[in-house]
Amino acid sequence: MAPGSVKPSWRKPAGALGIIAWIFLWVILVASFSSWIGQLHVLAQLPIYIVTGVVWVLPLGGVLRWMETGRWRSA
């Protein structure tokens, strides 16, 4: 390894696999409620799908920070 080069970290591939697993689990969770949500009026479905489409991103901030720094929270 050349002087001054950075050693690759295992956190990035592990974090990427974790993110993919999280997305997969989130999709299964939302899809499991689809029959119930589908019975609602379209205007009632809209906020549910907007919220579920945005909320899955919230836990990823810590994971992305961990992938870059090795810490879950900012210092």
Side-chain angles (χ1 to χ4, degrees):
M1 191 173 283
S5 63
V6 178
K7 182 180 176 187
S9 171
W10 61 272
R11 290 188 311 263
K12 288 189 181 183
L17 289 174
I19 290 170
I20 291 169
W22 171 247
I23 293 170
F24 183 72
L25 291 172
W26 188 256
V27 167
I28 290 172
L29 178 71
V30 174
S32 68
F33 289 104
S34 66
S35 62
W36 175 76
I37 296 170
Q39 295 174 359
L40 299 174
H41 188 273
V42 174
L43 293 177
Q45 291 179 29
L46 183 64
I48 293 170
Y49 284 122
I50 288 174
V51 169
T52 58
V54 173
V55 168
W56 70 272
V57 176
L58 298 178
L60 298 183
V63 174
L64 293 172
R65 190 174 306 108
W66 172 78
M67 287 169 62
E68 288 295 321
T69 64
R71 286 179 262 133
W72 289 100
R73 297 182 183 180
S74 58

